[in-house]
Each structure stands twice: as C-alpha cells, then as structure tokens.
DNA sequence: CAGATATTTAGGAACGTTCCCATTCTGTTA
DNA sequence: TAACAGAATGGGAACGTTCCTAAATATCTG
C-alpha cells in the first residue's frame, strides 16, 4: 500500500505538500494536479492510524446498544447520523448482546483513542461502580436513558412518567374507572418511571390507586399473555394500560383467546408504537417516543463536548406523543 | 493520558520492558509487579492508533448491514461474534441505512487500516462496478448473499430456492394443487432465487406452472395485503406460498378481512420465521434460515483469510429449515 | 530590474507503540 | 573466583501522518 511519501515522490514534491493538498490547504495548481494524478494512479488511501496518532482525533463516535438489531433504535440511529453527517463524523456501533459484553467495557474505546466519544444508548440502570468509571469520561460521553442521580453526566431521556399518566387520563376521559396496569421489568429505569406514571395518572384523575390492578409482567409477548390470562375474570377492569407494546399485544391476544373482544370488552393500550401497531387487529393505541430527536440531541450534545470542549452538564427530557387508534372504546 | 514511557519511568524500567510485559513476554517477577502497579496507579491504556500503525493490524472486523436495527440479523451477529470472540477479535457495525451510504463506501475502512477485514452482510445485488472494487480486496472481505457470478470472492448464502421448493412440495403433500406464490422485489437476489424455487417445487411435484398464480408483491405487510386483496375471488387457489413473513402476514390479514379462514379456506406460508410467527393467529408455517451458522461461517472464512492468508475462494450454501405450524391444512 | 513581499515548498520532529540488537545482570560450573 | 550461558533489559529505528520552521520561489512595486 502506497504512503504519502510514495505519492510525493511520484508527484515530484514533498510529503508536506501532499499532506497540505490532502487537508485542503493551498497548493500550486500544477502541483495539485500532479498529486491528484499520483493518488489516482497509485490508489492511495491515508492511513487512519497514523493520522489518529498524531492528531489524537478520529472523527468517529461510537454508539453502544444492548441489542443493535432492535428495531426500536432505528429512529434514534437515524437521528444520531443526521447530526454526525453534518459535522463530518462517522458512526460505529457496538452491540452488548451479541458480544456478550457490558456497556462499560466499551469505555476503553475512548482511552485507547479508537473513538472521540461514545453515546451509551442502552437505556439501562447504572450502578455506582459503573457511574464512577463514567464520570471520569464525562467529557466524551452522553447517556441515553434515566440518569437523574448523576447530575454531572449529560443525558437525554424520554418522559416515560408523563406518557403513561397521559394515557391513564385518556382512558378516564373515555369513561374508564377500573384501569389496570401491566407492569414491566422492575430493574429498568424506564419501567419504573412508567409505573410511577400510572399512579400519577390515577391521582390526576382522582381515581384511588388499587394495587390489585397492577398486573406484574415483563416486556415480552409471552409475559403479557400469561400475566393477563392469570387475572382475567378474577379481577375486574375495563382497560389495561400496557407498559410496552409487546406485552400489550400479549394481553390483547390473551383477552381474545378468552373469547372477549378488544376494545368491545376491554380497552388495551401500549407504549413504543412498534411497526406493527398500526396494522394489528385492532390497531393499537399507544405512545410514540421521539426517537429521532433523542438521537439528534444526543449527537449534538456529544459533538459539542468533543469539539467545543463544552464542559457543562445537561439533562434533556423529551415528551412522547400519544397515538390514538382503535384498541380503546368509550364507556357510556 | 499516560503513555508507555510514563509507565516505564514510574516502574523504573524501560518502555521495551513494559511493552514486553503488556504483550505477555517474560519479565522478571519483581519488574512485572512494579509495572502492574504503575499501570494501575496511572490508569494506563495502550494507544490503539500507535499499535495499529506499527503492527498494521487492528484485530477488528467490520460488519456492514443495510439496516442494523433489523432483527432479521440478530442470529447472524451472534454467530459472527461467537467466532470473533474466540479468536480475540472485536466487531464494529456499520449501517448503510442510517448513514445514507452504500455498501461499497465502507471498503475504505480496510485501506485506511481501521479494520482488518469486512463482512458485507446486506444480501444485496452487486453491480459490475461494485464487484471490481470488491475483487481488489478479496483477501479481506466475505460476502453474505448471492455471489454466484463472482467466483473469486468468498461468500456465504442460504439456499432460498430449495427452501421454497420444499414448501411447495409440503403443500402438495397436504393435497394442495392450486398453489399461488406471493412474489418479492425483483431486484433482490434472494427474491429471485425464491421465485425460481417456486417453479422448481411445482416441477418436482408434477404441477403445471400457471403464471396467473404468481401474485406480484414486495416484502412488506401492506404490499402483501393489497396484492392478495386484488386477486381474492378472481383467481382460484387453496394455498399461498409467501416469499417472506411480512408479506405472508399481509396476505393472511387480507384473507381474514375478506371473511375467509386461514387455514380453513386458504393455507398460507411464510419465509424467515420472524419472532411473532410462533404467536400469531394462526401461528405461521414458515422457513427458518440458519442465520447463526451463516454468521459463524462468514466469520470463520474471514479470519482464515486474515490470519492464515488463505487465498482460496469458497462459496458456502446453507440449507434452511421448514417450521410446521398451523397456517396450513390438509385437503382431503 | 532590484528589492520587497507574498506564496509555495522541503525538511524534520513528534505522536505512542513494537521489535531487533546489543548490553547488562544472574546464576552455574569448573 | 573466573568463565560462561542464559535470562532480562535498554536503546533506537520504524510505522505514516501532521505541522512548525526555514528556505525557495513567484509576484509585485517603483
């Protein structure tokens, strides 16, 4: 593989001049032409490691996701790259799931000079040990997800609480009074926030909180299915607020399998607006998270830290949107 | 950030010795201890760019996908990383979709020394120009998908043709004789192969090919829905072989919306075995692609090229598996 | 056309590693 | 204790860039 010296020789000039040409500084037109020709003919590609070594800069940001093949993240990635593209950065992705590594193991990428910064996009809870490591790198890291406890690390999150609360109030406005809640995993911050939102919503509407109406589940289809199957007919409700779409669909199928109708007998709502939500039978009323914006903002904050050495902390919370479809009906 | 010289100084030795320690060569126990202490105290991390520069090696392979958030790829990635982990390589992912770049633009990553090799996992058709570029890098690239025309670039693919043919024969064995085919996009190799498989299957069973039974569609839910809606009642069939799951689900919903029953009135089959296939109503009979193995084999081939400088070309075709569920019934 | 100024260029240090080669240290044996 | 072998170490070139400084060349001005 030819290097910059080979190009210089071929173009009858020096490596400094070639370097200047490559980096957009002025070079005499004739020299420029010769260099361009040499590059073309020899098939020259600048070595990224050498460049990274001397500049201590890669123009790459890494994005760590628990499972990169989760369609859930598509909008977020598009949002991130819409910004990085503009500022001439590249994105590389790392998957905790398939690599069997945890999020923090990727922090080394910064120390090693492989990336200029990292977006930690797993939405996961962070323990004290993890946060200690993070804090050391707070000028090159942005967190997506709940970070309320660590005021000095920039984070972007969605207002999960508000989303669910709004959904509860919506069902209230349709006349529902016995509104059940299908809970999520208790070790995920977003799930905790959503459950808070349920209680918040009830309070807003003046409904008394009944712990029996909280149906314990996880965020899977099967989990939702089984959980609802267990309580159907035993506890009385006219609506179920799901804490995500998958489990809401499990609930829906459970209800249908019991010979009941959605929304005729029970109204069901979800959270996430997954791609099939618009096409299911019935189409699901759910909450759409502003993923594109989450990604955009995360990238903006990160590049700002990297390029402008912005040292200031920010915590950005974006509001989700309710999408009204046909899985709920008014009670007269 | 401390470098190897700082560690040497702190440990009262030379950078050569520290380097030797880091790379697992013998060092006097006392020296080793001092070095370890210095590394710990100063928080040393070897610089990847310097290392990459001198070794001309990164121990990283890149994986290019059209859309990394496609769950379709999950098994493949797990398969890839199961191998790379074993051989001490890391994986980084690149997404054509969100970066708005095409597959070939990522080839530069090799020239620039950012990765040791690339798995091109987009399953896409390649034109002559693209293949020319690829051929130059054939010792550092493995293609996933159809590559029958380029015998000198290693590729891994799934036997799409055989899969569909088997499905046709399965329906034949259930007594079906008027078997329709819901086609896919005509510019994707896998879709072309599947359509060939349909004809192949008919031939095997001794059914005459009737072009009217090929329902033109794409691989989307809506596409399948509309295409089947258009022909329902106009052409006569007892089964539809879908060329992927999404469109098969579109067909299924179309049939149900027309007041017909699946599998009572029409049998429907899919291809891909997406995650909801087991939970839908009815559960979908479909074809599962051996994604984990595709990933495994791709990684094995690539690392073999990189580390052992294996120059030999191979084209590996893996067989898919039919998963029998409840969307088909026997005609007596 | 000489001198002054502006533009363009070449040389070389630096970035942080690895690894070759020469040197020093350690321990054994006669 | 001298001689030696083997283990452990240190020095320095090399990797391919960037960028500073100084030199060379081109352009302008009176």
């Amino acid at each position: 593989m030819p290097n910059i010296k080979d190009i210089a020789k071929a173009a009858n000039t020096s490596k400094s001049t070639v370097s200047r040409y490559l980096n957009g500084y002025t070079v005499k037109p004739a020299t420029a032409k010769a260099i361009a020709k040499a590059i073309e003919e020899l098939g020259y590609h600048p070595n990224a490691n050498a460049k990274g070594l001397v500049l201590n800069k890669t123009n790459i940001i890494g994005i760590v996701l628990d499972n990169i093949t989760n369609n859930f993240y598509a909008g977020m990635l598009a949002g991130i790259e819409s910004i990085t593209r503009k500022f001439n950065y590249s994105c590389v992705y790392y998957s905790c799931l398939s690599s069997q590594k945890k999020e923090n193991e990727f922090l080394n990428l910064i120390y090693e000079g492989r990336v200029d910064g990292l977006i930690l996009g797993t939405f996961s809870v962070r323990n004290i040990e993890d946060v200690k490591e993070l804090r050391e790198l707070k000028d090159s890291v942005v967190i997506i997800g709940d970070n309320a406890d660590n005021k000095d690390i920039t984070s972007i999150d969605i207002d999960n609480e508000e989303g669910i609360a709004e959904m509860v109030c919506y069902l209230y406005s349709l006349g529902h009074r016995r509104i059940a809640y299908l809970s999520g995993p208790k070790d995920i911050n977003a799930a905790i926030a959503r459950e808070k939102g349920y209680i918040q919503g009830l309070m807003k509407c003046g409904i008394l909180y009944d712990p029996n109406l909280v149906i314990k589940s996880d965020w899977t289809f099967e989990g939702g299915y089984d959980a609802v199957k267990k309580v159907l007919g035993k506890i009385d409700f006219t609506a179920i607020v799901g804490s995500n779409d998958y489990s809401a669909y499990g609930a829906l199928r459970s209800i249908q399998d019991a010979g009941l109708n959605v929304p005729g007998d029970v109204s069901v709502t979800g959270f996430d607006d997954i791609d099939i939500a618009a096409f299911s039978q019935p189409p699901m009323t759910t909450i759409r998270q502003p993923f594109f914006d989450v990604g955009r903002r995360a990238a903006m904050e990160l590049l700002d830290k990297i390029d402008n050495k912005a040292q200031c902390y920010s915590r950005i919370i974006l509001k989700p949107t309710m999408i009204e479809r046909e899985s709920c009906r008014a009670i007269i």
Side-chain angles (χ1 to χ4, degrees), chain A residues 286-306:
Chain A
T286 186
I287 293 169
R288 180 182 297 161
Q289 309 190 43
F291 280 128
F292 189 89
D293 266 320
V294 168
R296 259 178 50 88
R297 296 305 299 266
M300 282 169 55
E301 291 292 325
L302 183 58
L303 295 193
D304 195 45
K305 273 171 189 283
I306 294 172

Side-chain angles (χ1 to χ4, degrees), chain A residues 72 123 158 160 194 271-272 287-292 320-321:
Chain A
F72 187 79
F123 282 93
I158 283 163
N160 288 289
R194 289 178 197 178
F271 198 121
D272 287 347
I287 293 169
R288 180 182 297 161
Q289 309 190 43
F291 280 128
F292 189 89
T321 323

Side-chain angles (χ1 to χ4, degrees), chain A residues 70-137:
Chain A
N70 193 338
N71 195 257
F72 187 79
Y73 293 128
M76 201 167 85
L77 305 192
I80 291 171
E81 300 221 26
S82 77
I83 295 298
T84 55
R85 204 166 29 246
K86 200 176 294 175
F87 292 97
N88 204 26
Y89 274 77
S90 308
C91 291
V92 310
Y93 297 92
Y94 301 91
S95 177
C96 295
L97 181 71
S98 55
S99 68
Q100 299 182 10
K101 284 186 185 170
K102 51 196 194 70
E103 199 177 32
N104 267 42
E105 298 186 46
F106 293 96
L107 294 177
N108 272 338
L109 296 167
I110 300 176
Y111 288 124
E112 293 168 355
R114 293 187 200 271
V115 299
D116 292 339
L118 233 33
I119 293 178
L120 301 181
T122 70
F123 282 93
S124 71
V125 178
R126 270 156 262 272
N127 63 37
I128 294 170
E129 195 52 39
D130 289 351
V131 170
K132 213 180 89 189
E133 280 192 273
L134 269 173
R135 186 160 290 140
E136 202 176 308
L137 291 169

Side-chain angles (χ1 to χ4, degrees), chain A residues 264-280:
Chain A
D265 300 304
V266 183
S267 293
V268 173
T269 70
F271 198 121
D272 287 347
D273 193 30
I274 60 176
D275 49 4
I276 59 163
F279 303 108
S280 61

Side-chain angles (χ1 to χ4, degrees), chain A residues 181-185 194 215-228 240-255 268-272 274 284:
Chain A
Y181 179 73
L182 190 61
S183 74
R194 289 178 197 178
I215 308 169
K216 292 214 176 339
S217 173
D218 49 25
W219 275 349
T220 67
F221 181 93
E222 301 92 311
Y225 186 94
D226 294 342
V228 170
I240 299 182
V241 172
S243 56
N244 85 333
D245 281 347
Y246 284 118
S247 59
Y249 274 109
L252 186 144
R253 175 68 30 77
S254 218
I255 293 164
V268 173
T269 70
F271 198 121
D272 287 347
I274 60 176
M284 182 75 80

Side-chain angles (χ1 to χ4, degrees), chain A residues 1-7 39 42-47:
Chain A
M1 289 244 276
N3 62 23
I4 202 171
K5 240 175 160 175
D6 297 322
I7 301 301
I39 288 176
L42 300 184
Y44 169 73
H45 296 263
N47 182 295

Side-chain angles (χ1 to χ4, degrees), chain A residues 32-77:
Chain A
K33 215 169 184 176
I35 294 174
K37 185 164 160 258
I39 288 176
E40 174 66 24
E41 278 174 1
L42 300 184
Y44 169 73
H45 296 263
N47 182 295
N49 289 311
K51 212 166 162 167
L53 178 58
V54 52
L55 295 180
N56 199 23
K57 185 91 165 56
T58 61
N59 271 48
I60 294 173
I61 67 166
I63 294 133
V64 181
L65 303 175
D66 52 352
N67 174 11
I68 63 168
T69 66
N70 193 338
N71 195 257
F72 187 79
Y73 293 128
M76 201 167 85
L77 305 192

